[in-house]
Structure formats: C-alpha cells, structure tokens
Amino acid sequence: MTIAADSSTDLDRTRFFIDGAWVAPKGTETHLALEAATEAPLGTASLGTDADIDAAVRAARRALDDGPWGRTTPAERAAAMRRFAEALAARGADTATLVSRENGMPIGLSNAFNGEAPAGLLNMYADQIETMPLEETRPSPSGSTVVRRAPVGVVGAITPWNYPQALAMMKIAPALAAGCTVVLKPSPETALDGYILGDAAVEAGLPPGVLNIVVAGRESGAALVSHPLVDKIAFTGSTAAGRIIGAECGRLIRRCTLELGGKSAAIVLDDVDLDTFVAGLDNACFQNNGQTCTVQSRILAPRSRYAEVVEAVAQFAREMVVGDPLDPAVTCGPMASKAQLDRVLGYLDLGRASDARLVTGGGRPANLSRGWFVEPTVFADVDNRERIAQEEIFGPVVTITPYDDDDEAVRIANDSEYGLGGSVWTTDEHRGLALARRVRTGTIGVNYYLQDLGAPFGGMKGSGIGRELGPEALGNYLEFQSIYASADHLDH
C-alpha cells in the first residue's frame, strides 16, 4: 500500500497568533509533528512558554476591556462570526486533509468534523445570539430591575488532538457570540492545523486580541488556567487532567467547563435487529479509530443471544479496512502518536493477560510496516471489573460482557466512573427509551449514536462538568447582572 505524503508543502508554524498578528515566540522549544500513517516529518511548530501565554491573555483582556469587541452589539458579533465561518469553509478541504495526516482520522470523518463543523458552529451561534434577549426589565418592590446577560470575560480554551478543529470551535463560537475573547491552547499532537483558525480570523477581520492561539505543553497550559486575567477555562481532555484543572479553578473561584473521558456502554437488548446494530457500530463503537471520548467500547449483550452478538461484532472488526486515512475506502486509520500507540498496545497486553477471550485483533497489522496502526480488536467474556472494561483505552478496542436481564444491563452500564455516551439497541423504541433514561450518562442513542450539534453535550460523574453545544452552551459564557433602577425604566 502506498501512503501519500506531500513533502513539498511547508507546514512549519514557528509563530503564534497574538493580538491579531503572527509574532515570534519568546522561547526556543519546538515540536516536530510526524505524519501518523507514515511516521515521516510533517512540520515543525514552536511551543509556547508562560510568557507567550501571558502576552496572549493580556491581548485578549485589552480587546475585551479597551478594544471594540467589548462594545459590540450581538448583530455586529454575528456578522464577524459569519465572515469567520466563510473563511474557514473556504479552507475546509485542506484543513480536513491536514488533520487526517496529523492524527490519523479517516478523511470522510475529518471532512465532517474538521472541514465543515467549525463553520457550521459559527453560523449556528451567530443565529442564536441575534435572537437571544440579553436584557429584560422586571418590576421590583423598589421600582424595576434590569437583568442583563454579560460576557463572562477572557476565556482560556484548552483542546485535545482527536477532533482539534471541531472541539476548538465548540468553545470559540459560543464564546465569541457571548462577547468574550479567547486564548486557544491546542495540543502539540495537532500543532499545525490550529493556525488555520488564525489565518481565517485575519481574513474575516476579527479585531486584534479577540482570538489568540498559542500551542503549548502542559506546563504552559497550567499557566493559562492560573492566569489572573482569565475569567473562565473551557477544557476538553482526560479526566485526570480535568481533575487538576477543576481543582485549580475551584481554588481561584474561576468558572470552568470540563468535557472529559468516557467508557460508555452499548446495551444490546434481546430483541435487537443485528443488521441495525452492525450498521451503527462504526459511529457508536469505533469512530475515529476508537480515538473518541464517546465511543461505546463496552458492549453488553444478552446471554440469550450472546454468541451471535460476539460473532457479529468480531466480523465487523475483521472487515474494517486499516490503512491510509486519506483513502476514502479506509475505515480505521492509525493512532495519533507513538505514545498513543504504546498506550493501546499496553491495554492489549492487559486484555490478553486477563480471563477475557481475544476474539479478533490484538496487535499491530502485519502488512503495515510504517505508521502507528493497531488491529481492530474484540475481547469477549469480559468481567466489567477488569481494567480493559473500566479504563479509557482510546483505540479500536471493544469488550463484550454478558448479562441476564435489563436490570443487570443497566447496573453494568452504570458501574463506571464515567458517564458521557451510550446506546441501546432494540426493535422496541419505547423499551429502548425507557432503558436509556436509567443510564447515568450525558448522551445516549437508541438504535444509533450520532452527535447532534443542536443539543447539549457533556458528561456526568467523572466525564465532566457543564455542557457544550446547543443553545445551552451560550450560558457557559454569560454572566447575569442585576441593575436596580427606578420604575421609569420599565419600558426601556
């Protein structure tokens, strides 16, 4: 198999987008990005220091407090956001390709989440802010009270590598709509594509300081979380990192939303239509090579149909096409990094050492000598207490656990520190809905799992605090202010 790589393209990004301009870094550390499918050099990005973060935050503060952004009307912000969306849409195909080269995402999925979704989110929140009443006057015993929704302030947005463009815009779009300014810290693993946002912001004419972008590691990310001029942190990443960020935000009395990890369950009921279930396996259980926080990597199957469910899942995994993520026929690309590959292989070792039964996969594909590829893997007969059933693997690995009745299925599904995604598979939708309501999770599908950008998204338990997407997300970036006034102001 030949994996395409455009070595003639200079993808180096050695400057940061701060205060509306591309500026030289204050440090010298860099990150060499390697193409996930070939392990070949893809580009070099500078890594920010605490000083770079400080410059970005101060630019965002000036844009909010002294610049035009803090005085814009919703209509003016919406117009700027639509220009931003247009500039991103024009770059969509190239952006999707770059992300696939960075993190191994199959190109069809990347086109949707990295090429199209960012512009769609900007347009959606532009529409919402134009129709949301930001002030209302209420009668009070002393006259009247003006209740207004004001921007929360400067937002520090920290995003991971698995859906870099979509997850960044899930924070940027509602923040801009609310009138906030943003400092974005993308992950070094996808250090190159984040700067497309800066290019598009310049083309759209966003005022200086409204959006700032600094790629940095964890240490400088901590500086963003703790910066005294930041008002809110919006984070997507691991539960372990979320606990640290949440603790610091609590210490500082700083607002935060945390979208964290998952170990979700797909509950297959005894009346399931297996063809429907198999048709939904890609989105529900293997999406983005398993590098998705919502994947239902625990499949719960009724004992009465256990053998046929195991065989159906195993056959699906065997038929997945592993290879170049830029090939539209490929359904499973590589892991995003060598570190992620090693993590997944470590869990495969744990699975083989347990009492679970390896049905298919379990290692690296024999026919691919380059790239961070893992075979789609299925473990059956898995005790839900095993580490492979409790810990987030973030690779194309699923476990299958038997159960006796619906009550036991719900108990096993809820026996997890996480609560982010899930699904129920049945020919009786009313039964499926009733069971879905009993699962402690932020999102769950009945006979399919496909994220709805217009509905709130987030987790329960260790999967996070707060919600992104839908009109509910705007509330994360707005503060209520009550202004006590005289009765004369009731009509204004």
Side-chain angles (χ1 to χ4, degrees):
M1 180 190 68
T2 300
I3 296 179
D6 185 2
S7 58
S8 65
T9 301
D10 183 4
L11 293 175
D12 290 353
R13 289 288 195 169
T14 57
R15 292 178 177 267
F16 300 132
F17 187 65
I18 298 175
D19 209 13
W22 295 105
V23 301
K26 299 182 183 298
T28 59
E29 188 177 0
T30 60
H31 172 79
L32 176 62
L34 302 179
E35 187 161 4
T38 67
E39 304 177 50
L42 186 59
T44 299
S46 293
L47 293 179
T49 63
D50 291 6
D52 296 300
I53 292 291
D54 180 67
V57 171
R58 292 183 184 279
R61 189 85 251 171
R62 286 193 300 272
L64 182 71
D65 294 344
D66 305 321
W69 195 253
R71 298 186 294 274
T72 53
T73 66
E76 290 169 335
R77 294 197 295 274
M81 291 169 66
R82 291 188 180 105
R83 294 194 302 271
F84 193 13
E86 185 177 359
L88 286 174
R91 295 164 167 79
D94 290 340
T95 303
T97 297
L98 176 57
V99 173
S100 289
R101 296 178 69 186
E102 288 179 301
N103 71 2
M105 180 182 290
I107 189 61
L109 192 68
S110 193
N111 280 330
F113 280 92
N114 299 301
E116 299 170 5
L121 287 165
L122 281 165
N123 285 322
M124 182 176 79
Y125 285 107
D127 292 343
Q128 288 182 15
I129 201 62
E130 283 187 317
T131 59
M132 173 181 284
L134 296 180
E135 289 193 6
E136 63 173 293
T137 304
R138 303 176 186 175
S140 75
S142 302
S144 66
T145 300
V146 178
V147 179
R148 65 186 293 262
R149 292 180 173 93
V152 72
V154 174
V155 175
I158 302 174
T159 54
W161 45 259
N162 57 332
Y163 292 81
Q165 291 281 310
L167 291 174
M169 198 53 69
M170 284 164 63
K171 298 159 182 57
I172 294 169
L176 296 186
C180 300
T181 56
V182 179
V183 176
L184 172 67
K185 191 207 81 65
S187 169
E189 280 77 13
T190 43
L192 305 176
D193 68 271
Y195 290 104
I196 295 170
L197 296 167
D199 293 337
V202 171
E203 183 178 313
L206 286 188
V210 171
L211 175 64
N212 308 272
I213 304 169
V214 178
V215 172
R218 292 182 179 179
E219 294 78 10
S220 295
L224 177 60
V225 172
S226 301
H227 199 289
L229 298 182
V230 169
D231 299 292
K232 172 187 165 58
I233 294 296
F235 172 74
T236 298
S238 71
T239 296
R243 287 194 177 99
I244 296 170
I245 290 170
E248 180 67 359
C249 288
R251 185 184 73 82
L252 296 169
I253 318 297
R254 177 161 297 166
R255 283 134 190 82
C256 67
T257 48
L258 306 173
E259 196 272 283
L260 307 177
K263 190 68 178 180
S264 303
I267 303 174
V268 181
L269 298 185
D270 53 13
D271 64 349
V272 67
D273 179 271
L274 276 181
D275 290 340
T276 300
F277 175 54
V278 170
L281 274 172
D282 187 37
N283 282 336
C285 302
F286 289 96
Q287 189 178 65
N288 193 21
N289 321 325
Q291 298 178 133
T292 301
C293 53
T294 58
V295 291
Q296 290 104 71
S297 55
R298 292 185 297 145
I299 297 173
L300 311 183
R303 292 188 189 277
S304 61
R305 301 187 64 182
Y306 186 72
E308 59 181 316
V309 171
V310 169
E311 180 52 33
V313 175
Q315 189 60 29
F316 178 88
R318 294 184 194 107
E319 292 176 356
M320 292 185 76
V321 181
V322 181
D324 178 4
L326 300 183
D327 182 348
V330 164
T331 57
C332 186
M335 301 297 92
S337 66
K338 177 65 163 56
Q340 187 58 25
L341 171 67
D342 291 342
R343 172 186 172 87
V344 174
L345 293 178
Y347 276 105
L348 295 183
D349 290 341
L350 284 174
R352 284 193 297 267
S354 73
D355 292 332
R357 171 167 55 98
L358 178 62
V359 182
T360 189
R364 303 192 65 181
N367 63 323
L368 295 171
S369 59
R370 295 184 305 163
W372 300 308
F373 294 96
V374 175
E375 293 176 310
T377 298
V378 178
F379 286 102
D381 309 340
V382 178
D383 188 311
N384 195 58
R385 294 169 294 185
E386 292 282 358
R387 287 181 61 186
I388 58 170
Q390 287 291 320
E391 298 178 13
E392 188 173 37
I393 297 174
F394 233 56
V397 182
V398 300
T399 64
I400 307 179
T401 299
Y403 70 86
D404 288 315
D405 56 29
D406 289 7
D407 289 342
E408 186 182 18
V410 171
R411 181 188 62 75
I412 295 172
N414 287 333
D415 182 16
S416 169
E417 71 167 303
Y418 300 106
L420 186 58
S423 58
V424 181
W425 304 84
T426 173
T427 53
D428 183 346
E429 187 165 271
H430 292 291
R431 179 187 179 195
L433 286 167
L435 193 146
R437 292 185 177 100
R438 298 171 61 193
V439 181
R440 292 199 64 214
T441 188
T443 63
I444 189 165
V446 178
N447 291 325
Y448 73 94
Y449 187 89
L450 188 62
Q451 199 172 68
D452 176 5
L453 301 186
F457 171 78
M460 300 181 183
K461 300 187 286 186
S463 288
I465 297 173
R467 294 294 183 266
E468 296 188 309
L469 296 177
E472 291 80 4
L474 270 173
N476 295 328
Y477 300 93
L478 292 166
E479 292 275 28
F480 283 101
Q481 181 186 37
S482 296
I483 304 174
Y484 309 129
S486 69
D488 293 338
H489 293 277
L490 277 171
D491 296 329
H492 297 281

